[in-house]
Amino acid sequence: MSQRLTFPEHFVWGSATAAFQIEGAAAEDGRGPSIWDTFCREEGRVHNGDTGDVACDHYHRLTEDLDLMQSLGLPSYRFSVSWSRVQPSGSGPVNPSGLDFYTRLVDGLLERNITPLLTLYHWDLPQPLQDAGGWTNRETAERFADYAEILGRALGDRVPTFTTLNEPWCSAFLGHASGVHAPGFTDNGLALKAAHHLNLAHGRAVSALRAVTGPDTKMSVTLNLAQVYANTDDPADLAAARHVDAIANRIFLDPMLRGSYPDDLLAGTAHLTDWSFVADGDLAAIHQPLDVLGINFYAPTNVAAATEDLRAQVTGRWVNDPSQADAGPSAYPGTDRAFSIPQPGPYTDMGWPIRPEAFTELLVRVSKDYPDIPLVITENGCAYPDVLSADGAVHDPDRIDYVARHLGAVHAAIEAGADVRGYYLWSLMDNFEWAWGYSKRFGMVHVDYDTLVRTPKDSALWFRDVIATNALEL
Ligand code: FCB
């Protein structure tokens, strides 16, 4: 029997993208190279050798895409700014045409009554900063604060909410431990150092933004929190799961929202680093008042301690990003003896299990452990191998089902007391899915990569109705 779920009044609906994944125009109008431009050109890093050179050509199709958003009834749009478009070398002079692009984007949104949600950093570090050590260099946090100030001054009068970082876990651990993301390092100690500098960058950027924006401007960060389950009640499995929770979640939540690193995190990684990169005053700098916590969720993680038996069964399968679960070094330093256990299906095209109830549990847990901060779902969605049908439409019932069930999970969390204020579907359109290149389609709008024609999928039309009624039939 279907039920109708109504969302709270003023619940914010939107969809999300990121600069590198859609913009293209990688070497135009003064944009400098980022670490993803470099990574794409390294042999074997990205599926099919795909690059962000053209992507969805959003840079040249800005007006068309703004009109598309309006036609889909989107009240809000989450996008990221390409640092190297605004500051081509990551420091020093501003590139006026780069800044102008984001000014036109924000003004175009406001003209259409679409509220902008601006993310400063979605993984595309300017290459010159990487050449100086990237996130393993403390100076990068200072450069990030300078860059934040530039955006705050330019757009602070029109952008109601700024997000500092998108998913710093991915930047730190996929970038420096498992190496599946740019810059592609596999060094656990470096990954932990990068995580700290990302935390510091967040804190410094919030301070810099507050200094140049008005009292009503909201500050946030987006974390891809993991809902971690122990495979069994065995104490070894429970300990493995707790360690993954520290590395995936509390390494960011605790310093940002409580001003400290968890003791079990420090103890569980002491063999990898002495944490001497944490200087006096850093934790206070990181611990800035925030107005919103952004949460991205796709699938939960199931963790077991690696007994010899299990090792024999799942050789090479480290605790890791679910999509990378069967190869390579761990993305959770210190868990080299823990495994990510495959979960029952069904799965999306990423191979990620569909477990909406885990989403509810995550949101309820976060709201209990870190009370008094409103939550916004800044990403949730799924990839499927969508095709343009002969009837000219793109039928994606699996996406509608996934999103409906995850919205149901958000609704259940709200009923259980979680203060969730909004939901952004990932993604507005099919785009460059990082190491998977263009092989995975997350969009509610289909993109034909030969013609760059956009076609709203059935899910986009369904989502438009959800937005219009602020309710869902489940
Ligand atoms: C998230 C990223 C986003 C997209 C989705 C599928 O981790 O923030 O850019 O790749 O996953």
Side-chain angles (χ1 to χ4, degrees):
M1 215 182 65
S2 83
Q3 50 172 341
R4 186 174 172 83
L5 304 177
T6 301
F7 283 80
E9 212 185 335
H10 307 304
F11 193 78
V12 177
W13 298 97
S15 79
T17 63
F20 191 82
Q21 294 178 275
I22 65 166
E23 283 180 5
E28 280 177 60
D29 295 340
R31 179 187 178 278
S34 79
I35 54 174
W36 270 94
D37 295 291
T38 307
F39 197 66
C40 288
R41 282 169 176 75
E42 289 175 15
E43 184 76 31
R45 296 293 205 180
V46 174
H47 171 84
N48 193 40
D50 290 346
T51 72
D53 289 0
V54 177
C56 305
D57 199 32
H58 171 68
Y59 185 79
H60 295 120
R61 290 162 198 255
L62 180 58
T63 306
E64 176 190 342
D65 289 341
L66 287 165
D67 290 344
L68 177 67
M69 290 179 223
Q70 187 174 34
S71 74
L72 296 176
L74 286 181
S76 183
Y77 175 57
R78 172 178 182 249
F79 64 95
S80 80
V81 173
S82 156
W83 186 346
S84 61
R85 204 180 280 293
V86 169
Q87 248 186 328
S89 53
S91 57
V94 171
N95 171 32
S97 38
L99 202 50
D100 178 61
F101 173 72
Y102 297 104
T103 305
R104 287 186 285 120
L105 168 56
V106 168
D107 289 346
L109 290 169
L110 295 174
E111 278 160 22
R112 291 166 180 79
N113 285 319
I114 303 172
T115 306
L117 171 54
L118 185 155
T119 300
L120 287 168
Y121 184 74
H122 200 124
W123 307 351
D124 43 358
L125 190 74
Q127 184 61 41
L129 294 187
Q130 184 60 51
D131 297 340
W135 290 113
T136 69
N137 179 355
R138 189 180 169 85
E139 277 300 301
T140 300
E142 309 305 329
R143 299 292 72 75
F144 186 64
D146 297 344
Y147 159 64
E149 183 180 332
I150 293 166
L151 268 298
R153 279 190 199 284
L155 297 173
D157 58 341
R158 280 160 288 170
V159 170
T161 310
F162 284 82
T163 298
T164 54
L165 306 172
N166 175 73
E167 302 191 352
W169 180 84
C170 295
S171 302
F173 297 107
L174 299 184
H176 299 79
S178 69
V180 298
H181 278 188
F185 298 151
T186 52
D187 181 320
N188 290 331
L190 277 187
L192 291 160
K193 194 177 190 184
H196 177 65
H197 293 150
L198 284 153
N199 277 327
L200 186 62
H202 159 79
R204 292 257 197 265
V206 171
S207 301
L209 285 167
R210 289 235 192 256
V212 297
T213 58
D216 292 337
T217 305
K218 292 188 163 49
M219 301 299 159
S220 71
V221 65
T222 279
L223 304 178
N224 55 319
L225 298 178
Q227 178 62 9
V228 187
Y229 296 106
N231 196 44
T232 71
D233 287 343
D234 186 294
D237 287 352
L238 291 168
R242 181 151 175 81
H243 182 71
V244 170
D245 179 64
I247 290 278
N249 300 327
R250 289 178 287 120
I251 190 170
F252 301 108
L253 286 167
D254 278 26
M256 288 179 182
L257 300 175
R258 293 180 174 165
S260 58
Y261 280 111
D263 290 341
D264 65 319
L265 169 73
L266 302 179
T269 54
H271 59 301
L272 303 172
T273 176
D274 61 6
W275 287 81
S276 57
F277 43 75
V278 182
D280 284 352
D282 281 5
L283 284 158
I286 296 166
H287 186 205
Q288 295 299 318
L290 290 182
D291 304 293
V292 177
L293 175 63
I295 296 181
N296 295 353
F297 177 84
Y298 291 91
T301 306
N302 199 11
V303 174
T307 59
E308 285 312 313
D309 273 2
L310 199 53
R311 191 182 291 279
Q313 289 169 38
V314 287
T315 306
R317 187 177 286 274
W318 302 108
V319 168
N320 209 324
D321 178 284
S323 64
Q324 312 289 343
D326 52 1
S330 172
Y332 297 103
T335 56
D336 292 353
R337 282 180 224 93
F339 289 115
S340 167
I341 300 301
Q343 299 172 57
Y347 308 99
T348 68
D349 194 33
M350 299 298 283
W352 299 348
I354 301 172
R355 304 249 321 260
E357 68 285 356
F359 196 12
T360 306
E361 288 172 24
L362 173 70
L363 295 171
V364 171
R365 177 254 171 132
V366 171
S367 66
K368 286 202 172 112
D369 288 358
Y370 305 88
D372 304 325
I373 181 158
L375 309 177
V376 167
I377 310 311
T378 38
E379 284 181 30
N380 173 242
C382 50
Y384 284 105
D386 307 306
V387 290
L388 197 57
S389 302
D391 64 1
V394 180
H395 304 300
D396 58 343
D398 290 339
R399 176 169 295 98
I400 294 175
D401 185 63
Y402 177 100
V403 176
R405 292 171 61 196
H406 284 76
L407 280 174
V410 172
H411 193 274
I414 295 171
E415 301 246 285
D419 184 10
V420 186
R421 305 276 180 96
Y423 176 96
Y424 291 77
L425 179 64
W426 183 270
S427 176
L428 173 65
M429 62 181 99
D430 295 336
N431 59 47
F432 175 83
E433 180 46 38
W434 309 110
W436 298 91
Y438 297 97
S439 68
K440 302 293 176 190
R441 293 182 176 272
F442 273 92
M444 60 175 182
V445 173
H446 178 272
V447 176
D448 178 321
Y449 291 115
D450 294 327
T451 62
L452 296 164
V453 167
R454 282 91 158 115
T455 308
K457 302 178 189 177
D458 288 353
S459 59
L461 308 178
W462 169 86
F463 193 53
R464 187 173 60 186
D465 288 345
V466 171
I467 294 169
T469 56
N470 199 37
L472 169 79
E473 298 290 338
L474 196 64

